[in-house]
């Protein structure tokens, strides 16, 4: 029942109680991520309380109380907030850096399409090959750092079956793999970019560009694409140190284990001892907060994984393929050309003006009328 609650329909934050709706969201929530360890923690805590109340002797209870007092002191002495804050901030900074350096394919393909002369003999074929190799280089780049994409295209034969690679191209890339076995995917991406440079050289030699300077523009765009791919590849070789992740994980789980025993057993008041023994609100909330922070930093350290909130690279690849097909159609014949021609031949005599009036319910658009608000004559 919580799946229908999302930030888009949770209302305005200024409304009473509206900002709390997102707390009841289940899909992609922290509750869905941590309900299993949370349930194990509560069951373990209550089990220890039952053992203390009903199974231990008087002398064993004294030892249990001494261990509980020691664990209470231990949980308050570790600087876990500082450690988790450093880990999470480092992971998020790296996440944003990787996201901002991710290469796109539409720009480099669009520049190539618009630079070719119209109705060239090999124009459509050139665009198709150039676009396909750009997509292939992009795929080789993200196969290094995205496990779902690696599973989808585990080898060159799978890429050939998907239409991203031809047979004679696969044979040549297999030679590249045999030469650079240790870093084959990196060199495969560079080899495909060399094929794109060969296309640019051929187009320039055959005079297919609008002006000779377009060749330099194509090279600049292709080199910018290559730089973005190389920056993304740094992600695979410059990951967050495993030692840092291990230290944070060990610390959080040590706090969790210690907090299972941490309780004030010196208080002999029946009401408070029952509450602290069987309703571990503060201990559970503290451990839940630390574990949430740990999971959040771990997810941010690998944004191309298989979690629900990770970047869907396979879906992004499909989007790039659709963009390439649309841009190729723009060169051959596109409905957009007819629309532009019709709009220029039949221009609008008025210029739009949009006005919004802000009320308690939010911005509302006011339609133009005879008072001059709205469309005006050019």
């Amino acid at each position: 029942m919580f799946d229908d609650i999302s930030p888009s329909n949770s209302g305005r934050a200024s409304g009473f109680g509206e900002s709390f709706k997102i707390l009841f969201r289940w899909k992609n929530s922290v509750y869905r991520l941590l309900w299993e360890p949370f349930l194990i923690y509560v069951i373990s805590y209550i089990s220890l309380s039952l053992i203390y109340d009903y199974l231990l002797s008087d002398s064993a209870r004294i030892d249990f109380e001494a261990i509980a007092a020691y664990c209470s002191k231990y949980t308050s002495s570790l600087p876990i907030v500082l450690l988790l804050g450093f880990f999470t901030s480092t992971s998020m900074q790296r996440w944003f850096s990787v996201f901002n350096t991710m290469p796109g394919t539409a720009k480099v393909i669009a520049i190539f399409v618009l630079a070719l002369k119209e109705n060239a003999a090999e124009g459509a074929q050139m665009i198709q090959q150039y676009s396909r190799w750009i997509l292939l280089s992009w795929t080789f780049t993200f196969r290094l750092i995205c496990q779902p994409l690696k599973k989808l295209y585990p080898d060159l034969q799978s890429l050939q079956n998907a239409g991203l690679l031809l047979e004679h191209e696969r044979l040549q890339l297999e030679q590249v793999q045999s030469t650079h076995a240790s870093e084959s995917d990196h060199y495969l991406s560079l080899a495909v970019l060399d094929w794109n440079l060969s296309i640019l050289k051929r187009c320039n030699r055959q005079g297919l560009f609008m002006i000779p300077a377009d060749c330099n523009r194509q090279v600049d765009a292709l080199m910018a694409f290559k730089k973005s791919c190389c920056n993304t590849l740094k992600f695979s070789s410059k990951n967050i140190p495993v030692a840092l992740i291990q230290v944070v994980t060990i610390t959080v789980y040590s706090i969790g284990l210690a907090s299972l025993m941490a309780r004030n057993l010196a208080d002999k008041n029946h009401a408070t001892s029952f509450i602290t023994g069987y309703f571990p609100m503060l201990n559970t909330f503290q451990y839940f907060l630390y574990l949430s922070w740990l999971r959040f930093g771990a997810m941010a350290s690998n944004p191309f994984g298989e979690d629900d909130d990770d970047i869907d690279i396979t879906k992004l690849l499909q989007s790039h393929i659709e963009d390439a097909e649309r841009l190729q159609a723009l060169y051959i014949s596109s409905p957009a050309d007819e629309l532009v021609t019709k709009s220029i031949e039949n221009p609008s005599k008025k210029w739009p003006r949009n006005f919004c009036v802000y009320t308690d319910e939010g911005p509302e658009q006011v339609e133009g009328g005879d008072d001059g608000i709205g469309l005006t004559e050019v």
Side-chain angles (χ1 to χ4, degrees):
M1 64 179 177
F2 295 135
D3 291 344
D4 295 334
I5 300 176
S6 62
S8 59
N9 57 20
S10 59
R12 296 177 292 113
S14 59
F16 178 76
E18 295 291 343
S19 60
F20 291 96
K21 286 186 177 181
I22 196 174
L23 297 178
F24 299 98
R25 178 180 176 179
W26 175 258
K27 185 177 181 181
N28 298 334
S29 65
V30 67
Y31 315 122
R32 182 181 178 184
L33 187 65
L34 298 178
W35 73 269
E36 291 179 339
F38 175 78
L39 183 61
I40 294 174
Y41 182 87
V42 173
I43 293 175
S44 301
Y45 189 96
I46 296 176
S47 299
L48 290 174
S49 297
L50 291 173
I51 293 173
Y52 174 79
D53 289 337
Y54 300 103
L55 297 181
L56 296 182
S57 61
D58 293 338
S59 60
R61 286 186 179 184
I62 295 175
D63 296 334
F64 191 97
E65 293 173 1
I67 296 175
Y70 176 79
C71 290
S72 299
K73 182 179 179 181
Y74 174 79
T75 54
S76 61
S77 62
L78 286 178
I80 187 172
V81 175
L82 180 62
L83 183 62
L84 280 173
F86 173 75
F87 173 65
T88 306
S89 62
T90 302
S91 300
M92 287 306 303
Q93 289 176 2
R94 184 169 175 272
W95 190 95
F96 281 111
S97 299
V98 172
F99 184 82
N100 291 329
T101 57
M102 287 177 59
T105 61
K107 181 178 180 180
V108 64
I109 296 175
I111 293 176
F112 182 74
V113 171
L114 297 178
L116 288 182
K117 294 180 180 178
E118 297 182 359
N119 302 322
E122 298 181 348
Q125 292 82 354
M126 291 287 188
I127 292 174
Q128 183 180 10
Q129 298 298 326
Y130 191 85
S131 303
R132 183 170 58 83
W133 287 342
I134 288 291
L135 294 171
L136 184 60
S137 179
W138 190 93
T139 304
F140 281 138
T141 298
F142 281 93
R143 281 179 69 216
L144 280 171
I145 57 179
C146 179
Q147 193 64 27
L149 191 63
K150 182 71 173 180
K151 292 180 180 179
L152 184 62
Y153 302 115
D155 50 26
L156 296 180
Q157 185 63 48
S158 61
L159 290 170
Q160 180 180 343
N161 296 337
L164 289 171
L165 195 62
L166 300 181
E167 183 177 1
H168 65 279
E169 298 169 353
R170 176 179 60 82
L171 295 176
Q172 185 170 350
L173 290 179
E174 287 177 352
Q175 296 178 0
V176 175
Q177 280 185 324
S178 60
T179 305
H180 307 281
S182 60
E183 299 179 352
S184 58
D185 278 353
H186 175 65
Y187 283 97
L188 289 178
S189 178
L190 297 179
V192 176
L193 289 176
D194 291 340
W195 297 351
N196 288 105
L197 287 173
S198 298
I199 284 187
L200 296 181
K201 184 173 67 173
R202 178 169 179 171
C203 291
N204 187 44
R205 184 172 61 248
Q206 296 181 357
L208 297 180
F209 291 124
M210 294 285 190
I211 56 176
D214 282 338
C215 183
N216 293 332
R217 293 173 52 203
Q218 304 305 316
V219 173
D220 291 340
L222 187 60
M223 291 299 102
F225 175 78
K226 177 183 178 182
K227 181 179 179 181
S228 297
C229 290
C230 292
N231 289 335
T232 304
L233 287 174
K234 294 177 182 178
F235 175 80
S236 61
S237 59
K238 301 297 182 182
N239 206 332
I240 293 180
V242 178
L244 175 60
I245 301 177
Q246 290 175 338
V247 168
V248 178
T249 304
I250 292 174
T251 303
V252 170
Y253 282 102
S254 298
I255 289 289
L257 291 175
S259 64
L260 287 174
M261 288 291 297
R263 58 193 77 194
N264 185 17
L265 297 177
D267 188 2
K268 300 303 180 180
N269 185 279
H270 178 72
T272 56
S273 62
F274 179 80
I275 293 175
T276 57
Y278 296 96
F279 297 95
M281 299 295 296
L282 296 180
N283 290 35
T284 304
F285 178 76
Q286 183 184 40
Y287 179 63
F288 181 80
L289 179 63
Y290 293 157
L291 189 60
S292 302
W293 216 345
L294 173 64
R295 293 290 180 89
F296 180 70
M299 291 171 60
S301 64
N302 183 25
F304 304 120
E306 299 177 343
D307 295 325
D308 294 337
D309 292 327
D310 288 337
I311 301 174
D312 193 345
I313 294 298
T314 56
K315 186 177 180 180
L316 188 59
L317 174 60
Q318 182 61 35
S319 176
H320 286 322
I321 293 175
E322 294 173 357
D323 287 342
E325 293 177 351
R326 187 179 68 253
L327 291 172
Q328 183 184 8
L330 183 64
Y331 175 79
I332 301 174
S333 62
S334 173
D337 295 335
E338 300 178 1
L339 185 143
V340 170
T341 302
K342 186 175 181 180
S343 298
I344 293 177
E345 293 176 352
N346 302 280
S348 175
K349 301 299 182 181
K350 297 181 179 180
W351 189 257
R353 292 182 182 178
N354 294 326
F355 288 85
C356 290
V357 176
Y358 290 88
T359 63
D360 293 338
E361 301 298 329
E364 296 181 359
Q365 185 175 2
V366 178
E367 297 182 357
D370 297 335
D371 55 356
I373 299 177
L375 297 177
T376 56
E377 296 290 340
V378 177

